[in-house]
Amino acid sequence: MTDHRYPLRLGDDALIAAQRLSWWCTRAPQLEEDVALANVALDLLGQARALLAHAGDLEGAGRTEDDLAFLRGDREFGNAQLVELPEADFAHAVAKLLFFGTYQELLHTALASCADPVLAALGGKFAKESAYHVDHATQWTLRLGDGTSESRRRMQDAVDALWPYTHELFAEDPLWTAAAADGTGVDPAALLPDWTRYVTAVLARATLVRPEGDWRPGGGRRGLHTEAFGPLLAEMQALHRAHPGARW
Amino acid sequence: MTDHRYPLRLGDDALIAAQRLSWWCTRAPQLEEDVALANVALDLLGQARALLAHAGDLEGAGRTEDDLAFLRGDREFGNAQLVELPEADFAHAVAKLLFFGTYQELLHTALASCADPVLAALGGKFAKESAYHVDHATQWTLRLGDGTSESRRRMQDAVDALWPYTHELFAEDPLWTAAAADGTGVDPAALLPDWTRYVTAVLARATLVRPEGDWRPGGGRRGLHTEAFGPLLAEMQALHRAHPGARW
Amino acid sequence: MEAQFEAVIAADARVEPRDWMPDAYRATLVRQIAQHAHSEIIGMQPEGNWLTRAPSLRRKAILLAKAQDEAGHGLYLYAAAETLGVDRAELTEKLVDGRQKYSSIFNYPTLTFADVGVIGWLVDGAAICNQVPLCRCSYGPYARAMVRICKEESFHQRQGYELLMTMMAGTDAQRAMVQDAVDRWWWPSLMMFGPPDGASPNSERSMAWRIKRHSNDELRRRFVDMTVPQAEHLGVTLPDPDLAWNEERGGWDFGEPDWSELQQVIKGDGPCNAQRIERRRAAHEDGAWVREAASAYAAKKAAREGSSR
Amino acid sequence: MEAQFEAVIAADARVEPRDWMPDAYRATLVRQIAQHAHSEIIGMQPEGNWLTRAPSLRRKAILLAKAQDEAGHGLYLYAAAETLGVDRAELTEKLVDGRQKYSSIFNYPTLTFADVGVIGWLVDGAAICNQVPLCRCSYGPYARAMVRICKEESFHQRQGYELLMTMMAGTDAQRAMVQDAVDRWWWPSLMMFGPPDGASPNSERSMAWRIKRHSNDELRRRFVDMTVPQAEHLGVTLPDPDLAWNEERGGWDFGEPDWSELQQVIKGDGPCNAQRIERRRAAHEDGAWVREAASAYAAKKAAREGSSR
């Protein structure tokens, strides 16, 4: 049977990505983008809810999606650090969506044929959503990279800042290995060649330089997060925790 | 006997002012100012602790300073809106400290001869602290107001933005009236002439214009806060609330 | 041409963008549609304040979807305004520098999560009362935008009411939050219908042009009659001691809002006016480099495609 | 002159700012004192991360007071460096652009409130082991600054340990937080003493000049011997399977830290390097207008006072 921590971790990725993205609502550079980013955030939030609910079912301890989202501490979240990073400007939001969305699209596509029927069904559904996110991020990467000199500088800065955090998405991990071994999940290492091919091509078309450097921060999968994560979680959970047991 | 809500409200002013000010730690424009602002924040936090503890004693329901600080909701805090406002730059921090510190110095001095012996003792002690805060804010108001054209513009912007919120400090309120009537507290309306005289003189020396306009936002005393207050409180209370009943 | 315009109005038919129309009719519509569009966009902020703090994932999703709908409504409405020969950038400038207004209701702060529910119930409810008749407005593009918007607004209103029902069935603290939110939003909601008829100078002309179909006071009464039984069902008290059933009229009598407060908020001195405009201004200015990049890229792309033909 | 300098060193007396000193001695001191000053200032950040979220008002006050002390230590140390003919602004530039370092320990994140206690206990504890001998450093201003600093550091260490004792007497969750923090900070704390003696090229000369009085490994052993019984008293496990009492030596044997990690963090690839420098850079740059205003005001004031004489 699927280890409940597997969908939980995927759900954490989606949840924290949605939480960061929702900050843009009322702050996007144009109204079309308020709509589009809210749409992406909604997809991610929907993915998080389905995955956390599935994790709760598999765990069998009666924890709901809200218990898992609002009542775990900083060290119990398994999302990759990439998704929790603050988005200093719109270029950061675009670069993050390009990197994370491409990873998600490949992951969801692979998940669609896994042995856990719930995850397989979700993977099929989510893959379509992710494809839209990737397309959206790709369009913006091209516009910003090949737009003005300022936009190119900002986009390159964002790519440089976030690139090191992409390694963690594909890093070896016992949970991935186990899930891949029994067919209930995917080893993301297998996705890396396709990811690199796609992202590299987009960066090239956008006249951007693919970063070098061997810094590979990580630890999110083991609950080791950046200092930006605690305040994010504090804000997200404060109201829920202020009213223990209340329904909303 | 002193209404416990009286020291509670004064304590809320000091607590929220300290919380905002502590943001500057590691972000001040020079190291001397990291020291000075932390010092002011520490004084304010000390005042808050003494006042909340006194309020808890008077209430007689066993609530500690931490219960009052961490387990009340947004609508139960009685601080003036002035102290909760975000500080957009150092000029805002200076203007706020000038306005709030001058109010506090007058208040604490008057409190030193009130009928509540605890409050009278605290008033005497706090008045000295406030005098230092006012002196510090005054020196910076002069430097920024009469410094460069940029600093003058920023300082004037800060004064203009915060001035409307000073009215609430002196506004009529049943709790003030009752406390003044039985001698257990001070009616801040009586402090307004001295406050205006001092602040006006400092602004004039700093070559700054005293704002006109009749907008008088308020409501903090009745728990009606700005939208900046909820996130401030969420951050302040999140960890305490995440561990109900724990001692630290 | 004027006669033809008058005939269309008299027949209760639609004026379309290419039709001749009096300058004052056009100006009135631009002002009203722009104000309406601005209200959708600024109106994202009060509830947006709770997006990152929503106490359940379901409520977070509902809030996000609502904010997204509002941005969409803003887009339709700016598009409707553009059919009258203005453009969105110009309208945004006017919003940001204070030459055009938005609904004053959005200058009040959302202090607790119950405010999210009450905004859905009362504010969207009042908006619907105002907007349903606009679906038959004489200007075609505006009327058609309103049909779509009203449908979504009703959905938002039901969601807001459902949140309040859930909270009223919850803890004492939740019930107190709901009552407190109702106490704060009731009077501002009544003021959403504008000043009393005697003090509303432009209403008569707008009614003659069939832009507007009911007077402010008429719509306000309709809203109160609709809302009082909902409040009873919810179990909250509306903060008006003068609220009383009028047997004769078959409707509810109610007290007089504090019109001086409305004037003050319209003038700019509401609790959140400065903050709302500042957020909008910051988003617009911080986004300038992005919009410039998009234009530059589009131009390059067009040039490349042109030269490769 | 050189002979006099050598004599002062040999007599274990103090070199003072006006005394002649070899260029290399001066350069070594500037580098070390600046790095020490930078460490105090950057060291405010990891704990400062919890200032606004401290779970009790008492702990918030302790944190604030500690941050204030650290800023004060930074000021003494920059002042000590300035006696060697450099200035603070120049040192800050070098910090911000990466030409000077600070202690690598501050490149690790503070993930829970237990980290605040563990930093007090282990990080301040290790700093004290390093710094107590510096109170007898051959350069007078540095030695005197260290006397004051060490006193305050001991106080911080006791406060950190007391927080951990309180948490260990608390809930299961609190105890788990403490153990987790110890697991994360133990090895980085050991690395605070620098590379093993064989790989520490400058140590010998510093010892000859009596800037340094003990080797890295010697201080590291001293720290472990001091800390192991404290860990036992606290009830936490130190994450080192090789930790064992050595009867013969009368001290604790311990495992080898992962020196490649230290090299990586020093090189710039620690979890928080970029973030720490960025915060310091932003504070420095955002404060430029304030410092300029203060200078301009001082100049105007001096001119006014000059002309009014």
Side-chain angles (χ1 to χ4, degrees):
Chain A
M1 203 178 78
T2 311
D3 186 331
H4 78 277
R5 294 171 304 166
Y6 181 76
L8 183 59
R9 201 185 266 183
L10 302 187
D12 286 348
D13 274 350
L15 176 61
I16 303 304
Q19 180 74 5
R20 272 288 177 232
L21 210 51
S22 67
W23 180 87
W24 284 97
C25 187
T26 73
R27 293 181 176 92
Q30 56 190 31
L31 296 181
E32 288 80 357
E33 212 43 35
D34 273 302
V35 175
L37 292 180
N39 199 37
V40 175
L42 263 173
D43 285 345
L44 291 169
L45 188 54
Q47 295 172 9
R49 295 180 64 193
L51 289 162
L52 295 186
H54 185 45
D57 288 345
L58 289 167
E59 185 189 37
R63 291 204 283 181
T64 64
E65 60 180 51
D66 285 341
D67 294 335
L68 290 167
F70 295 104
L71 298 176
R72 282 182 298 152
D74 308 39
R75 293 282 280 106
E76 297 167 87
F77 276 77
N79 57 281
Q81 292 182 353
L82 174 66
V83 296
E84 78 203 35
L85 296 175
E87 290 157 13
D89 66 5
F90 184 68
H92 278 70
V94 168
K96 192 192 279 187
L97 190 61
L98 177 69
F99 297 156
F100 179 62
T102 304
Y103 157 79
Q104 275 205 315
E105 186 183 0
L106 294 166
L107 174 74
H108 292 152
T109 303
L111 217 48
S113 47
C114 81
D116 177 320
V118 177
L119 280 179
L122 293 177
K125 176 171 182 288
F126 298 168
K128 292 189 198 82
E129 297 171 350
S130 307
Y132 162 74
H133 306 169
V134 171
D135 183 58
H136 190 71
T138 300
Q139 295 307 318
W140 272 115
T141 302
L142 297 177
R143 286 187 201 113
L144 299 185
D146 194 17
T148 64
S149 61
E150 180 182 6
S151 73
R152 187 174 187 291
R153 176 185 61 74
R154 285 176 178 262
M155 193 65 210
Q156 185 69 55
D157 284 351
V159 166
D160 291 346
L162 298 181
W163 184 268
Y165 292 89
T166 61
H167 299 302
E168 186 184 11
L169 297 173
F170 307 99
E172 200 177 310
D173 182 276
L175 189 57
W176 301 151
T177 311
D182 70 7
T184 56
V186 175
D187 184 349
L191 312 173
L192 183 56
D194 282 347
W195 185 90
T196 306
R197 198 171 307 120
Y198 183 78
V199 167
T200 303
V202 173
L203 294 181
R205 279 177 60 204
T207 74
L208 295 165
V209 178
R210 180 182 141 177
E212 303 295 331
D214 56 3
W215 183 40
R216 295 166 171 256
R221 301 308 187 189
R222 289 172 289 131
L224 297 169
H225 294 283
T226 64
E227 287 182 2
F229 186 63
L232 175 149
L233 211 61
E235 183 179 24
M236 184 173 94
Q237 297 182 334
L239 177 59
H240 185 95
R241 287 191 187 267
H243 297 268
R247 289 186 51 248
W248 296 93
Chain B
M1 204 178 79
T2 311
D3 186 330
H4 79 277
R5 294 172 304 166
Y6 181 75
L8 183 60
R9 201 186 268 182
L10 302 186
D12 286 348
D13 275 350
L15 176 62
I16 303 304
Q19 179 75 5
R20 271 287 178 233
L21 211 51
S22 65
W23 180 87
W24 283 97
C25 187
T26 73
R27 294 183 177 92
Q30 56 190 32
L31 295 182
E32 288 79 356
E33 212 43 35
D34 272 303
V35 175
L37 293 180
N39 200 36
V40 175
L42 263 174
D43 285 345
L44 291 169
L45 188 55
Q47 295 172 10
R49 294 180 64 193
L51 289 163
L52 295 186
H54 185 44
D57 289 344
L58 288 167
E59 186 188 37
R63 290 204 282 181
T64 64
E65 58 179 54
D66 285 341
D67 293 336
L68 291 167
F70 295 103
L71 297 175
R72 282 182 298 152
D74 308 38
R75 294 280 281 108
E76 296 168 87
F77 276 77
N79 58 281
Q81 292 181 352
L82 175 66
V83 296
E84 78 202 35
L85 297 175
E87 289 157 14
D89 65 7
F90 184 67
H92 277 71
V94 168
K96 191 192 279 188
L97 190 61
L98 177 69
F99 297 156
F100 179 62
T102 305
Y103 157 79
Q104 275 204 315
E105 185 184 1
L106 294 166
L107 175 74
H108 292 151
T109 303
L111 218 48
S113 47
C114 81
D116 177 319
V118 177
L119 280 179
L122 293 177
K125 175 171 183 285
F126 298 167
K128 292 189 199 82
E129 298 171 350
S130 307
Y132 162 74
H133 306 169
V134 171
D135 184 57
H136 190 72
T138 300
Q139 295 308 319
W140 273 114
T141 303
L142 296 177
R143 285 185 202 114
L144 299 185
D146 195 16
T148 64
S149 61
E150 181 182 8
S151 72
R152 187 175 187 289
R153 176 185 62 72
R154 284 177 180 262
M155 191 65 210
Q156 185 70 55
D157 283 352
V159 166
D160 292 346
L162 298 180
W163 184 267
Y165 292 90
T166 61
H167 299 302
E168 187 184 12
L169 298 173
F170 307 100
E172 201 177 308
D173 181 277
L175 189 57
W176 301 151
T177 311
D182 68 9
T184 56
V186 175
D187 184 349
L191 312 173
L192 182 57
D194 282 347
W195 185 90
T196 307
R197 199 171 306 122
Y198 182 78
V199 168
T200 303
V202 173
L203 294 180
R205 279 177 59 204
T207 73
L208 295 165
V209 178
R210 179 181 141 178
E212 303 294 332
D214 56 2
W215 183 40
R216 294 166 171 256
R221 301 308 188 189
R222 288 172 289 130
L224 297 168
H225 294 282
T226 64
E227 286 180 2
F229 187 63
L232 176 150
L233 211 60
E235 184 179 24
M236 184 172 94
Q237 297 182 334
L239 177 59
H240 185 96
R241 287 190 187 267
H243 296 268
R247 288 186 52 247
W248 298 92
Chain C
M1 285 191 304
E2 184 155 7
Q4 199 186 344
F5 172 81
E6 295 296 349
V8 167
I9 298 289
D12 212 356
R14 297 285 161 271
V15 179
E16 293 298 334
R18 267 167 297 188
D19 297 342
W20 181 90
M21 61 190 87
D23 288 347
Y25 176 86
R26 183 184 300 270
T28 298
L29 274 169
V30 167
R31 189 178 50 79
Q32 177 167 340
I33 300 175
Q35 173 160 339
H36 195 158
H38 298 329
S39 299
E40 295 284 354
I41 300 308
I42 297 288
M44 294 163 73
Q45 291 184 34
E47 290 167 291
N49 183 36
W50 288 93
L51 261 179
T52 54
R53 289 179 288 156
S56 77
L57 296 185
R58 177 167 166 261
R59 294 293 171 195
K60 193 189 285 285
I62 290 173
L63 263 178
L64 250 178
K66 185 176 174 186
Q68 189 192 24
D69 285 348
E70 287 165 346
H73 296 174
L75 283 171
Y76 309 153
L77 287 163
Y78 284 121
E82 286 181 332
T83 64
L84 292 160
V86 290
D87 75 59
R88 201 211 298 181
E90 174 194 335
L91 299 178
T92 301
E93 296 292 337
K94 286 184 173 166
L95 166 65
V96 164
D97 67 19
R99 281 176 293 159
Q100 288 182 344
K101 302 285 181 194
Y102 54 90
S103 177
S104 281
I105 193 75
F106 300 121
N107 290 318
Y108 292 87
T110 50
L111 299 184
T112 75
F113 198 71
D115 291 32
V116 168
V118 169
I119 287 179
W121 174 39
L122 297 181
V123 175
D124 291 340
I128 292 166
C129 281
N130 266 331
Q131 290 168 9
V132 164
L134 290 173
C135 297
R136 295 182 296 127
C137 161
S138 59
Y139 188 61
Y142 190 29
R144 288 187 291 273
M146 290 320 301
V147 172
R148 181 156 172 195
I149 290 173
C150 280
K151 209 154 68 182
E152 293 183 353
E153 296 278 12
S154 307
F155 187 61
H156 298 161
Q157 200 212 5
R158 281 199 302 278
Q159 285 178 323
Y161 193 73
E162 187 261 328
L163 168 58
L164 298 178
M165 287 294 288
T166 305
M167 289 181 72
M168 289 303 287
T171 66
D172 287 348
Q174 288 177 300
R175 273 188 293 277
M177 279 167 81
V178 174
Q179 182 62 56
D180 171 61
V182 170
D183 291 346
R184 286 182 284 109
W185 288 93
W186 173 249
W187 291 109
S189 299
L190 288 192
M191 296 196 244
M192 285 178 68
F193 298 93
D197 291 349
S200 182
N202 302 319
S203 281
E204 207 172 322
R205 201 170 57 175
S206 282
M207 283 172 72
W209 278 333
R210 303 216 173 157
I211 295 174
K212 200 167 170 167
R213 296 198 171 247
H214 308 278
S215 81
N216 295 353
D217 287 335
E218 205 177 324
L219 290 167
R220 189 162 16 242
R221 276 195 301 274
R222 192 179 287 187
F223 173 70
V224 172
D225 287 343
M226 186 180 87
T227 305
V228 171
Q230 294 172 348
E232 281 174 7
H233 180 64
L234 196 55
V236 296
T237 307
L238 298 174
D240 179 357
D242 295 333
L243 202 63
W245 179 251
N246 183 325
E247 194 63 60
E248 197 180 331
R249 200 167 58 75
W252 290 85
D253 291 337
F254 52 95
E256 195 72 12
D258 177 1
W259 297 116
S260 68
E261 178 180 315
L262 180 64
Q263 286 317 311
Q264 192 186 324
V265 177
I266 289 176
K267 198 183 79 179
D269 289 350
C272 300
N273 299 53
Q275 169 190 342
R276 299 287 184 241
I277 288 291
E278 170 55 23
R279 165 76 65 87
R280 185 73 194 100
R281 190 197 58 69
H284 188 65
E285 288 182 10
D286 294 349
W289 70 270
V290 176
R291 297 189 301 273
E292 283 156 21
S295 306
Y297 177 77
K300 284 187 202 178
K301 211 177 150 194
R304 278 195 290 262
E305 280 163 9
S307 69
S308 69
R309 254 184 225 141
Chain D
M1 284 193 303
E2 185 154 5
Q4 199 187 342
F5 172 81
E6 295 296 349
V8 167
I9 298 288
D12 211 356
R14 298 284 162 272
V15 179
E16 292 300 333
R18 264 167 299 186
D19 299 342
W20 182 91
M21 60 190 88
D23 288 348
Y25 176 85
R26 185 184 298 271
T28 299
L29 274 170
V30 166
R31 191 179 48 78
Q32 178 168 338
I33 301 175
Q35 173 161 338
H36 195 159
H38 298 330
S39 299
E40 294 284 354
I41 300 307
I42 298 288
M44 295 165 71
Q45 291 183 34
E47 290 167 291
N49 182 34
W50 289 93
L51 262 180
T52 54
R53 289 179 288 156
S56 77
L57 296 185
R58 178 167 164 261
R59 293 295 170 195
K60 193 189 285 285
I62 289 172
L63 264 179
L64 250 178
K66 184 175 176 188
Q68 190 191 22
D69 285 348
E70 287 165 345
H73 296 176
L75 282 171
Y76 309 152
L77 288 163
Y78 284 123
E82 286 181 334
T83 64
L84 293 160
V86 291
D87 75 59
R88 200 211 298 181
E90 176 193 334
L91 299 177
T92 301
E93 296 294 336
K94 285 184 175 165
L95 166 66
V96 164
D97 66 19
R99 279 176 294 157
Q100 287 181 345
K101 301 285 181 197
Y102 53 91
S103 175
S104 281
I105 192 75
F106 300 121
N107 290 318
Y108 292 87
T110 51
L111 298 184
T112 75
F113 198 70
D115 291 32
V116 168
V118 169
I119 287 178
W121 173 40
L122 296 181
V123 175
D124 291 339
I128 291 167
C129 283
N130 267 330
Q131 291 168 9
V132 164
L134 291 174
C135 297
R136 296 183 296 129
C137 160
S138 59
Y139 188 61
Y142 190 28
R144 289 188 289 273
M146 290 320 302
V147 172
R148 181 158 173 193
I149 290 172
C150 279
K151 210 155 67 181
E152 293 183 355
E153 297 277 12
S154 307
F155 186 63
H156 298 161
Q157 200 211 5
R158 281 200 301 278
Q159 284 178 325
Y161 194 71
E162 188 261 327
L163 168 58
L164 297 179
M165 287 295 286
T166 305
M167 289 181 70
M168 290 303 287
T171 65
D172 288 347
Q174 287 177 300
R175 271 189 295 277
M177 279 167 81
V178 174
Q179 182 62 56
D180 171 60
V182 170
D183 291 344
R184 286 182 284 109
W185 288 93
W186 174 250
W187 291 109
S189 300
L190 288 192
M191 295 196 245
M192 284 178 69
F193 298 92
D197 291 348
S200 183
N202 302 318
S203 282
E204 208 172 321
R205 200 171 56 174
S206 283
M207 281 169 74
W209 278 332
R210 303 216 174 158
I211 295 172
K212 200 166 170 169
R213 295 196 171 246
H214 308 278
S215 80
N216 295 352
D217 287 336
E218 205 177 324
L219 291 168
R220 192 167 8 248
R221 276 195 301 275
R222 192 179 288 188
F223 173 70
V224 172
D225 287 343
M226 185 180 85
T227 305
V228 170
Q230 294 171 349
E232 278 173 10
H233 179 65
L234 196 56
V236 296
T237 306
L238 297 175
D240 179 358
D242 295 333
L243 202 63
W245 178 251
N246 182 325
E247 195 65 57
E248 196 179 332
R249 198 168 60 75
W252 290 85
D253 290 337
F254 52 95
E256 194 71 12
D258 176 1
W259 297 116
S260 69
E261 179 180 314
L262 180 64
Q263 287 316 314
Q264 193 185 325
V265 177
I266 289 176
K267 198 184 79 179
D269 288 350
C272 301
N273 300 52
Q275 169 189 342
R276 300 284 185 242
I277 288 291
E278 170 55 22
R279 165 75 65 86
R280 185 72 194 101
R281 192 199 56 70
H284 189 66
E285 289 183 8
D286 294 349
W289 70 271
V290 175
R291 297 189 302 273
E292 283 157 21
S295 306
Y297 177 76
K300 283 188 203 179
K301 213 178 149 195
R304 277 196 291 260
E305 280 162 9
S307 69
S308 70
R309 256 183 226 146

